[in-house]
Amino acid sequence: MIGNNISEFPRRHAAIRSGRFCTLHAAGVDVSAALRDISAAGAFIETDYALHIDEPVVLSHPLAGAIRAQVVRVGRDGAALRFLAGEDAATFALASLCAGMTSAADYTLNA
């Protein structure tokens, strides 16, 4: 069963996904960020940098490129970003998801 295979997958592999790490350009500075969730509508990023609601940012992924976004929610551990709906947002989301899956699979095969 697929569900059993997933639950047996070691947690350490999920934490090593290089496709998850990004750079966020906000208020003239570049800061580290990690993707927690992403879709064509937006993303939730983990960062220690203080962001503000309605702040314009650029999220850069090492393999997926960059996309403009707006901060729509701020939490203790990060912020929710909204992308302008369209083909660029869908392409960015799919590319970052694929990069995360590919790097996790590569790590598993080479471990």
Side-chain angles (χ1 to χ4, degrees):
M1 178 178 220
I2 293 174
N4 289 340
N5 292 340
I6 292 172
S7 64
E8 295 169 7
F9 191 72
R11 285 182 59 86
R12 66 185 176 94
H13 292 289
I16 298 175
R17 291 187 347 214
S18 64
R20 177 184 132 103
F21 298 102
C22 297
T23 302
L24 187 70
H25 183 78
V29 298
D30 289 330
V31 296
S32 296
L35 286 172
R36 182 186 297 170
D37 296 311
I38 188 160
S39 72
F44 187 90
I45 57 156
E46 297 170 353
T47 184
D48 293 332
Y49 185 78
L51 294 166
H52 305 284
I53 294 179
D54 293 329
E55 182 176 2
V57 296
V58 176
L59 181 62
S60 296
H61 186 281
L63 300 174
I67 190 164
R68 292 178 191 268
Q70 182 178 17
V71 178
V72 293
R73 186 170 39 90
V74 176
R76 287 191 307 254
D77 57 346
L81 308 178
R82 179 176 52 217
F83 304 144
L84 181 61
E87 189 175 310
D88 290 343
T91 301
F92 181 85
L94 285 171
S96 64
L97 286 169
C98 290
M101 291 186 311
T102 301
S103 53
D106 288 346
Y107 179 80
T108 302
L109 293 174
N110 294 324

